[in-house]
Amino acid sequence: MRLRLDAKSVAIALAVAVLLVFGIFPICLLVINSFIVDGHVSLDNFREVYLNRANLTAVWNTVKAAGLTMIIGTVMSFPLAWLVGRTDLPFKKLFRMLIIIPYMIPPFVGAIAWTYLANPRIGYLNQWIRALVPGIEQGPLNIYTMGGLVWVLVLFYFPFSFLSISRALEKMDPSLEEAARISGANPLRALWDITLPLTAPAIAAGALLVFVAASSCFGIPSIIGTQGRLQVVTTRIVSYVYVGTPDAMHEATALAVVLLLLSTVVLWFSNWYLSKREYFTLGGKSTHPVVVELGRWKWPLVVVFSIVCFIFAILPVLALVMTSLVKTMGKGFAFNNLSLDPWRAVLADDDTWRTLRTSVLAALLAATGGTLVGLLVAYLKVKTRMRFRTIPDFLTTFCNATPGIVLALGMILAFSGKYGLNLYGTFWILVVAYFVRHLAYAVRQAAAALEQVHPSLEEAALSSGATWLRLFKDVTIPLIAPSVIGSWFLVFMPSFYELTMSVMLYSSKATPVGYHLYHLSSFASPQSAAVLSVLILILVLIGNLLMYWLSRGKVSL
Amino acid sequence: MKRIAVVLSLLLALSALFTGCGSGSSSGKASESGNSGSTASSGQTAGTDAQQTDTGSGPSGKITIYTSMYPDIIDVVSPELEKAFPNLKVEWFQGGTEQVTAKMAAEIEAGKIGADVLMVADPSYYIYLKKNNLLLPYKSVNFDAVAVDSDSQDYTYTGVRINNVVIGYNTDLVSAAEAPKSFRELTAPKWKDQVVFVDPTQSGTALVSTYALAQKYGWEYWEQMRDNGAVNGGGNSSVETKLATGEFKVAIILEENLLKIKDRGEPVEIVYPEDGCVIIPSPIGILSTTQNPEAAKAVVDWWLSQEGQQAITIGWMHSVRTDVDPPKGARPLAEFNANSMKVDWADLAETSGAVKDKFLQIMGSN
């Protein structure tokens, strides 16, 4: 008994220690700094920052954009996840893969793709619409609006919600639904009364991730917001940071605190909402969810789903591919203006492969560490009764809600050797930064999955004499394996193409692909940046397909 | 568990694949191989004043340069520097001026500045650094050949390249006769909803031009621009694309961006505005924390030599020396230098935060 407890506590303590050292410590350094004015503790920075009207507008815009993104994303995810998870919809596996493609495109690039598609004057979509409907001079679509911002945020962040819900649906015990159906409920009634409430933890977890991701995102609002005259908190923070003086950095941190508060409120709300409910839907019995027959709705839904996939996945990729092939941007996409030169240049460039290699390796390490630590933090929260068990979980959200650029600055402060660890300027700072920033994704996924595992299974293992390590390895992890792999990918993917922190933390010895992408888009040409994005996307898709194939369809994002 | 193992081994295999792809040629970064060879030849001509300083084997060890110059110049310069200083390893950190200064700010606070030499766009930042005793005074052997604003009292920084903010127009949409003649004209109804400019919070040079225009015409200029539908298009590269694709007819942008894309065949042309270009003599300076001052000084000398200055013009910027030709396609600096807008660098150093705030305040309210 004694030993069992120890292994468990040691593992969890280690995970929490890692989180504290690498995530919380750098942020705390920055936050402490924000209270210091001319060497004295003071609230002047906060007064300065929060009395500024532009900042208050930015806070409101952030709440509005992230809130709308969360609501629209969640409302949209559920039917889509249900259709691919629980019905006999044809091509559902293909649909499932297509619909989360936006998650594989770096948001920065995706936002650029959408400005090519829907800028009011010469956006591809607007040109097509105007060709079909004569008499319109400008528009009708305008990406540079709040609506446009929310639209792009939804496209890029709804996969959090979609993945979370569809995984819960896959794992749900179907006997409850069957019981409802046998008792005479129609499929919709069963969906409303049984499926929806049972997946509530996953829905809430997904919604929270969407909100936090949307509110702390910088790439998308920086591209759409500047032209649309929409400031959000992250763009304001970055403009403070870019002033370049320590004072401005303190003000940036003071402003970053608001993001933290926002995500705390959402986190608290979702915890409160779920606190009264306890669900254990994953028993030890083998489960094969019943497939709902769509009947005459089948083909109309296929059409709807195809259109959705086309808009979500194909259109932005198409815009990128078209851009990557034009010779000069001025002549647009025309047959006498096509060239493969950017492709040749990017593929022949050593930097492309060197940076891809660095990023794969860094993301691989970050994802593996993140999955492990995330699992333990989630286990602590969900499966133990320790005091303060939810605090590490909250801290991961804290790290995630901190804008990448602020986190990167904290990393520089903390790991330059002043406090014993000298990671700055090495490959490891990238790994640490990716790990800390994306850990929350792993925790959320694992927690939602663990919440569904009934304690009886663990109790059975323990009473059969298994040690905790054995139990964890042989019972808990296999039960939630799809979620574990999902967590791994949720961390791997954004780490692989991470841009904001990479640009601050790269060194000549370790240059990640995100920096190379930034370099191409800010210097070389939009065409070569498009080439690299398409290349990243192809690699990610191949990886995903290979995994799907190797696991015989059991594992894919 | 088995599945996870499969996934992991698969990814390891994938990364091994990349290793295979990349290791065809060397993977060392500092050597900056790749496409630099083609452009390097033009920078090899004479101009060896720099070598006057180094006797014997020259400086050795390692130095790091933080810069906001575009990477193509680094590609041109790296092999040249390697040739001039065979025993010295030069490493680069490249980012926008604002990124470099943000990184510096964090490093200053952490007490570990990674840069030996700094080459960012905005001169006012050097005034800030000088005030904090972070710059090493050094009068280069080539100092007197430099014809632009420099620190002629303490020699803590020297102009090394000239960025020039001008007006660009899309030749498919605007004829040469119609093209705007001045910055002032851009607030006229003729250009309603047609002007795009660079975000001063994202670009150091745009900060200077925003400030210069506000000094010359008052902040009303930007209010009128806003009311005339002028749009903040983000960074320089994004604005360059918006002009080339015809999303906007006219842009306020760096001359070097226009020269570069014009050379590539994009339909753009340059206007040197009658009310003055905004000329930014971007400096070079040595950080006082450098561990290798001798090498840093030698590198500064090299940048200010004819050879280093030719590399600058290959990167589409103007040289600070009068004995180096302007970049391809550009008018010589002497023709528009006298008429350029006056910028109070010391004032900008004090007020850059306030300038950004004021600008965002104006642009934030529709």
Side-chain angles (χ1 to χ4, degrees):
Chain A
M1 188 68 202
R2 175 102 214 126
L3 188 75
R4 248 181 276 159
L5 253 179
D6 276 353
K8 182 160 134 186
S9 324
V10 166
I12 291 173
L14 270 179
V16 173
V18 166
L19 172 66
L20 289 177
V21 170
F22 292 111
I24 303 308
F25 173 58
I27 299 177
C28 281
L29 271 184
L30 264 189
V31 171
I32 291 168
N33 271 337
S34 73
F35 286 102
I36 293 172
V37 179
D38 299 329
H40 302 287
V41 177
S42 154
L43 282 174
D44 282 0
N45 286 321
F46 284 84
R47 207 169 295 131
E48 177 87 14
V49 164
Y50 290 103
L51 286 180
N52 186 329
R53 245 196 61 213
N55 289 340
L56 295 178
T57 316
V59 171
W60 173 235
N61 283 339
T62 304
V63 172
K64 206 155 70 174
L68 284 172
T69 305
M70 177 178 80
I71 292 165
I72 297 171
T74 310
V75 167
M76 210 176 68
S77 299
F78 190 84
L80 294 176
W82 183 74
L83 278 174
V84 291
R86 277 313 182 68
T87 68
D88 60 348
L89 186 79
F91 314 118
K92 57 184 180 184
K93 285 191 173 147
L94 178 69
F95 285 147
R96 190 187 194 285
M97 198 145 161
L98 282 175
I99 203 152
I100 50 169
I101 278 189
Y103 192 69
M104 304 175 194
I105 308 176
F108 169 77
V109 174
I112 292 177
W114 272 97
T115 63
Y116 291 151
L117 283 168
N119 78 65
R121 290 202 188 130
I122 51 151
Y124 294 129
L125 282 178
N126 283 321
Q127 289 184 22
W128 295 336
I129 292 172
R130 289 200 292 259
L132 291 174
V133 189
I136 312 174
E137 259 184 45
Q138 190 166 323
L141 304 176
N142 183 358
I143 199 75
Y144 304 117
T145 56
M146 180 54 97
L149 177 62
V150 170
W151 169 249
V152 178
L153 285 171
V154 165
L155 290 189
F156 282 91
Y157 294 121
F158 97 95
F160 285 125
S161 164
F162 176 85
L163 288 171
S164 175
I165 295 171
S166 59
R167 228 168 270 126
L169 285 172
E170 277 160 21
K171 273 291 158 191
M172 210 177 81
D173 186 347
S175 57
L176 297 161
E177 279 176 325
E178 277 163 33
R181 295 294 304 280
I182 291 164
S183 319
N186 65 33
L188 273 182
R189 178 78 195 271
L191 179 70
W192 186 256
D193 284 352
I194 308 290
T195 320
L196 205 57
L198 280 178
T199 44
I203 295 176
L208 177 66
L209 278 182
V210 173
F211 183 89
V212 171
S215 60
S216 64
C217 168
F218 170 69
I220 295 172
S222 79
I223 284 159
I224 290 170
T226 42
Q227 188 154 346
R229 292 178 190 168
L230 286 166
Q231 290 276 323
V232 295
V233 174
T234 49
T235 53
R236 288 292 302 175
I237 290 174
V238 170
S239 48
Y240 275 116
V241 167
Y242 281 173
V243 170
T245 61
D247 281 351
M249 209 157 95
H250 298 162
E251 285 167 352
T253 339
L255 188 54
V257 172
V258 81
L259 280 180
L260 208 61
L261 284 175
L262 276 180
S263 46
T264 313
V265 168
V266 180
L267 187 68
W268 176 83
F269 183 79
S270 73
N271 279 346
W272 169 82
Y273 171 76
L274 294 170
S275 63
K276 293 160 289 175
R277 296 142 222 259
E278 219 177 342
Y279 304 102
F280 299 110
T281 55
L282 192 57
K285 294 150 229 122
S286 88
T287 55
H288 282 288
V290 229
V291 167
V292 175
E293 284 171 22
L294 293 168
R296 64 201 160 90
W297 289 101
K298 198 153 142 184
W299 293 102
L301 281 170
V302 168
V303 173
V304 170
F305 222 110
S306 308
I307 294 172
V308 169
C309 283
F310 179 77
I311 295 173
F312 281 24
I314 315 284
L315 265 183
V317 177
L318 195 68
L320 287 177
V321 171
M322 284 167 74
T323 305
S324 76
L325 291 173
V326 302
K327 203 182 290 169
T328 58
M329 293 295 285
K331 294 202 197 76
F333 193 76
F335 282 106
N336 58 359
N337 187 35
L338 297 185
S339 158
L340 278 175
D341 287 348
W343 277 91
R344 244 174 253 132
V346 171
L347 289 177
D349 188 354
D350 273 350
D351 284 351
T352 306
W353 302 104
R354 186 174 52 85
T355 54
L356 277 172
R357 204 163 60 229
T358 307
S359 283
V360 166
L361 195 61
L364 199 123
L365 290 166
T368 308
T371 309
L372 210 63
V373 173
L375 194 57
L376 287 165
V377 168
Y379 188 91
L380 170 70
K381 179 197 175 198
V382 177
K383 290 290 165 191
T384 72
R385 290 282 167 264
M386 287 181 206
R387 281 224 289 173
F388 310 118
R389 61 182 175 279
T390 55
I391 289 180
D393 168 47
F394 167 73
L395 293 179
T396 60
T397 309
F398 179 115
C399 296
N400 187 239
T402 310
I405 191 144
V406 174
L407 193 58
L409 293 171
M411 298 262 158
I412 297 179
L413 273 184
F415 302 127
S416 289
K418 203 170 170 183
Y419 304 96
L421 264 177
N422 200 346
L423 304 176
Y424 183 45
T426 72
F427 168 76
W428 294 101
I429 193 106
L430 295 173
V431 176
V432 167
Y434 298 161
F435 163 82
V436 168
R437 177 103 165 98
H438 303 129
L439 183 59
Y441 302 158
V443 176
R444 301 267 111 211
Q445 292 304 313
L450 282 172
E451 260 155 20
Q452 295 192 324
V453 177
H454 197 279
S456 66
L457 295 166
E458 300 193 348
E459 282 156 16
L462 286 177
S463 55
S464 319
T467 62
W468 179 78
L469 276 180
R470 175 96 193 268
L471 152 80
F472 196 64
K473 185 167 79 69
D474 290 351
V475 178
T476 315
I477 292 184
L479 271 175
I480 59 164
S483 281
V484 170
I485 288 155
S487 314
W488 194 90
F489 258 84
L490 282 176
V491 180
F492 179 85
M493 216 63 86
S495 304
F496 177 57
Y497 55 62
E498 207 287 332
L499 191 121
T500 320
M501 292 185 293
S502 304
V503 169
M504 298 297 293
L505 298 175
Y506 90 90
S507 57
S508 55
K509 283 172 236 103
T511 318
V513 75
Y515 171 76
H516 193 49
L517 186 63
Y518 158 79
H519 158 162
L520 289 181
S521 69
S522 71
F523 152 68
S525 66
Q527 292 97 317
S528 13
V531 171
L532 187 60
S533 332
V534 175
L535 198 64
I536 291 174
L537 185 66
I538 291 172
L539 290 172
V540 171
L541 277 179
I542 290 175
N544 199 14
L545 275 174
L546 267 178
M547 196 164 43
Y548 184 80
W549 174 72
L550 271 183
S551 63
R552 282 171 241 96
K554 290 204 183 73
V555 179
S556 78
L557 188 64
Chain B
M1 276 317 267
K2 230 178 263 168
R3 276 179 239 149
I4 298 173
V6 170
V7 173
L8 280 181
S9 51
L10 176 66
L11 272 138
L12 277 171
L14 257 177
S15 59
L17 184 79
F18 287 134
T19 321
C21 289
S23 62
S25 52
S26 98
S27 52
K29 159 78 184 177
S31 60
E32 288 286 353
S33 49
N35 47 12
S36 52
S38 55
T39 35
S41 53
S42 38
Q44 282 169 358
T45 43
T48 48
D49 351 322
Q51 267 88 348
Q52 291 166 1
T53 49
D54 49 86
T55 47
S57 59
S60 60
K62 193 192 96 168
I63 67 160
T64 304
I65 305 177
Y66 284 11
T67 185
S68 63
M69 289 189 304
Y70 288 131
D72 61 336
I73 306 173
I74 299 175
D75 285 345
V76 171
V77 159
S78 282
E80 299 293 312
L81 275 173
E82 226 172 287
K83 220 179 300 160
F85 310 113
N87 300 323
L88 183 67
K89 191 164 163 3
V90 179
E91 291 197 340
W92 299 89
F93 176 87
Q94 194 276 332
T97 293
E98 317 292 311
Q99 268 161 3
V100 176
T101 52
K103 188 180 164 93
M104 290 273 300
E107 290 182 352
I108 290 168
E109 204 142 323
K112 185 191 177 191
I113 299 176
D116 299 292
V117 173
L118 183 70
M119 301 179 73
V120 294
D122 180 4
S124 69
Y125 187 63
Y126 291 80
I127 297 176
Y128 163 79
L129 287 178
K130 183 183 170 185
K131 201 173 286 171
N132 288 280
N133 287 323
L134 288 165
L135 290 176
L136 183 79
Y138 170 61
K139 187 181 180 188
S140 166
V141 289
N142 294 319
F143 188 87
D144 296 327
V146 173
V148 297
D149 273 359
S150 298
D151 180 7
S152 48
Q153 275 178 342
D154 301 314
Y155 307 107
T156 51
Y157 57 90
T158 314
V160 70
R161 58 191 169 118
I162 289 171
N163 294 111
N164 182 22
V165 179
V166 295
I167 297 173
Y169 64 92
N170 186 307
T171 53
D172 287 346
L173 304 172
V174 180
S175 71
E178 286 175 315
K181 304 284 177 287
S182 66
F183 287 118
R184 178 77 263 180
E185 190 192 327
L186 298 180
T187 57
K190 181 180 174 189
W191 301 112
K192 182 145 181 67
D193 297 333
Q194 296 304 339
V195 182
V196 62
F197 55 84
V198 180
D199 187 349
T201 67
Q202 292 184 41
S203 154
T205 50
L207 173 67
V208 176
S209 56
T210 304
Y211 170 80
L213 282 163
Q215 290 287 303
K216 181 154 180 144
Y217 296 123
W219 280 106
E220 300 79 35
Y221 179 80
W222 288 107
E223 282 165 11
Q224 289 159 4
M225 285 287 274
R226 174 197 65 202
D227 296 340
N228 205 29
V231 158
N232 182 344
N236 281 291
S237 55
S238 153
V239 170
E240 155 198 310
T241 306
K242 287 177 200 298
L243 181 67
T245 53
E247 190 180 337
F248 290 89
K249 290 180 183 169
V250 174
I252 301 178
I253 191 175
L254 282 175
E255 183 192 16
E256 58 189 276
N257 285 67
L258 295 170
L259 289 169
K260 185 182 75 195
I261 62 171
K262 191 179 148 191
D263 189 61
R264 194 166 74 204
E266 301 288 2
V268 297
E269 196 49 75
I270 300 166
V271 175
Y272 295 86
E274 283 165 3
D275 41 1
C277 301
V278 182
I279 288 179
I280 300 144
S282 301
I284 189 169
I286 302 172
L287 276 304
S288 56
T289 50
T290 180
Q291 298 298 308
N292 198 351
E294 290 320 307
K297 288 173 182 174
V299 167
V300 169
D301 289 342
W302 184 87
W303 272 112
L304 298 174
S305 72
Q306 275 197 336
E307 205 179 349
Q309 289 296 301
Q310 263 147 4
I312 295 287
T313 61
I314 291 169
W316 307 107
M317 290 173 289
H318 288 272
S319 166
V320 293
R321 294 173 67 123
T322 47
D323 54 359
V324 174
D325 288 337
K328 184 180 155 198
R331 278 169 58 181
L333 183 65
E335 284 181 26
F336 55 86
N337 194 9
N339 187 36
S340 66
M341 282 194 203
K342 292 289 155 280
V343 182
D344 182 347
W345 299 111
D347 181 56
L348 182 56
E350 289 293 321
T351 58
S352 67
V355 169
K356 288 176 190 181
D357 265 354
K358 178 76 184 164
F359 178 81
L360 289 173
Q361 203 185 323
I362 290 173
M363 287 299 160
S365 51
N366 268 306

